[in-house]
Amino acid sequence: MTTDTLVLDQQTFASIAAAKNEPAWLAQSRAEAFALAAQLPLPKLEKTRIDRWALGGTGAYRAAKLAANVDDLPGELAGLIGDNPSPNLLVQHDSGVVFVRISPELERQGVILKSLEQAASDHPELVQKHLMQAIKADEHRLTALHAALWNGGLFLYVPKNVEVKEPIQAIFYSESPEATFAPHVLIIADTHSSVTYVDNYLSAASETAMLHNGALEVFAKPGASVRVATVHDLGAHVTDVNYRRAILENDAKIEWIVGELSHGNGVADTYSILKGNGSNSDMKVISVGVGAQKLNYTTRAVHFGKSSASDMITRAVMRDEATAIINGITKIEHGATKSDGQQTERVLMLSPKARGDANPILLIDEDDVTAGHAASVGQVNPEQVYYLMSRGIPKREAERLIIYGFLYPVIEEIPLEALREKLSALVERKLGR
């Protein structure tokens, strides 16, 4: 790691906090996290030399220009939002949130949607209790840097017994590689509430290397149900680092739907902590690697609660000289009786030089449980191609159909039609088909 990741000092943090009028507890938290970053090592990843990656492009904080409505957003952002924007929408441009809108009906029900920076001032009793509590600043250098430098971000609170029927949508857009881009998403679903959250990470073209160091925390209270769908489409100049974590209380449920389609090197750790009895986690992840991308993706579920259940499906397609390490980890702790943990990792390679490594791991400390795993690494089945060709389908189209069918179980789960279509188009584009 180059030393320019640690050029800031505590005086700089104080000046940033003062400029943004952050509460004292947050300014102190940032300073403490920065001090940790100077001491902690980088995360140790399976068969991935992250220390050789370009991790120095943390950039500098740049204040955002607020937009009164969607039409006032820069042309690139307006185009990304489309002609039919969600009534519940947050947009971040580089280092700050530039637009937030929530429907009057949700406001009347007590739903809170705003930038995390603003929420830290307006709702300190909620933010301080939960921020960096699922993901800890002291885990390693990258989480510490995120805790110190996060900017803009999203805060979503759903009150007790409230069902949010329309998805909450967010767009995080990096235009200037010199600007810090480290959004933090914090979602709190109170008792017996439900919500669907959808976001999209994008960047403008650039030759300047930069780092996206992002985090997403979900706290699902008893009986709450949360669906998170996230699609990453950052450019080849961006090293894409993501930490996602959910803490589930009794009978709470989380559904993760993840599209890892960025073009640079990437690390992601999507992790459910099934703390409560009867809690449930469902993870679906797809990834497409091209060129010389190096990817390391981990899905994890740790069971503490009795009768808790987790299911993980990861499907990755590698072409050219791309490499992927796909880890699935299910841990059932002692006392988590009647729990059920299942996982599947599959990697499809389209080139002799592409590499994939699927690593299913079961760690069981309780007898009265059910657990299973499956993993495969291989190429497109020539018999399937031959069968389709025998039905009059050209070879190239036959391969496309097989690959798309391989990824379809995740794509079809995207809850917004526009984003689902976008994800399909991104897959087609990355596969060069």
Side-chain angles (χ1 to χ4, degrees), residues 55-117:
L55 298 174
T58 55
Y61 179 83
R62 292 189 177 181
K65 183 180 179 181
L66 300 178
N69 53 62
V70 172
D71 294 335
D72 292 337
L73 291 169
E76 299 87 348
L77 276 171
L80 295 173
I81 292 169
D83 298 328
N84 188 26
S86 169
N88 308 298
L89 175 66
L90 179 144
V91 179
Q92 176 161 337
H93 185 194
D94 287 331
S95 298
V97 171
V98 295
F99 179 78
V100 184
R101 177 174 64 194
I102 183 171
S103 70
E105 178 184 358
L106 290 185
E107 276 195 309
R108 286 193 295 270
Q109 292 177 294
V111 176
I112 302 171
L113 174 65
K114 57 181 60 178
S115 77
L116 182 56
E117 289 177 342

Side-chain angles (χ1 to χ4, degrees), residues 3 71 88 93 99 108 133 203 210 219 266 286 292 297 313 336 352 358 362 367 398 401 408-409 420:
T3 56
D71 294 335
N88 308 298
H93 185 194
F99 179 78
R108 286 193 295 270
Q133 294 304 304
S203 65
M210 65 170 287
F219 295 87
I286 65 169
Y297 296 139
I313 296 174
L362 296 178
D367 295 331
L401 290 172
Y408 185 75
R420 187 165 58 248

Side-chain angles (χ1 to χ4, degrees), residues 61-242:
Y61 179 83
R62 292 189 177 181
K65 183 180 179 181
L66 300 178
N69 53 62
V70 172
D71 294 335
D72 292 337
L73 291 169
E76 299 87 348
L77 276 171
L80 295 173
I81 292 169
D83 298 328
N84 188 26
S86 169
N88 308 298
L89 175 66
L90 179 144
V91 179
Q92 176 161 337
H93 185 194
D94 287 331
S95 298
V97 171
V98 295
F99 179 78
V100 184
R101 177 174 64 194
I102 183 171
S103 70
E105 178 184 358
L106 290 185
E107 276 195 309
R108 286 193 295 270
Q109 292 177 294
V111 176
I112 302 171
L113 174 65
K114 57 181 60 178
S115 77
L116 182 56
E117 289 177 342
Q118 187 63 46
S121 297
D122 296 347
H123 310 282
E125 72 288 351
L126 286 172
V127 176
Q128 187 173 4
K129 182 179 178 181
H130 295 90
L131 180 63
M132 297 301 299
Q133 294 304 304
I135 302 168
K136 300 291 188 178
D138 62 1
E139 292 182 21
H140 48 70
R141 184 177 297 183
L142 293 180
T143 55
L145 279 174
H146 174 83
L149 297 173
W150 69 264
N151 51 71
L154 177 144
F155 178 76
L156 172 61
Y157 172 74
V158 184
K160 182 178 180 180
N161 297 324
V162 171
E163 179 183 359
V164 179
K165 297 179 180 179
E166 288 278 348
I168 306 293
Q169 185 177 6
I171 293 176
F172 299 99
Y173 179 61
S174 169
E175 183 175 22
S176 170
E178 286 81 21
T180 303
F181 187 58
H184 188 108
V185 175
L186 176 58
I187 299 172
I188 304 170
D190 217 329
T191 306
H192 296 298
S193 66
S194 66
V195 65
T196 294
Y197 166 76
V198 180
D199 67 25
N200 199 186
Y201 288 74
L202 307 109
S203 65
S206 176
E207 298 296 324
T208 303
M210 65 170 287
L211 171 68
H212 165 246
N213 187 1
L216 190 159
E217 296 181 290
V218 176
F219 295 87
K221 305 302 182 181
S225 178
V226 180
R227 173 189 271 187
V228 174
T230 180
V231 176
H232 286 239
D233 181 26
L234 297 167
H237 66 292
V238 183
T239 298
D240 191 10
V241 176
N242 299 278

Side-chain angles (χ1 to χ4, degrees), residues 43 128 201 224 254 286 314 327 334 354 357:
Q128 187 173 4
Y201 288 74
I254 180 76
I286 65 169
T314 302
N327 302 307
H334 181 66
D357 193 349

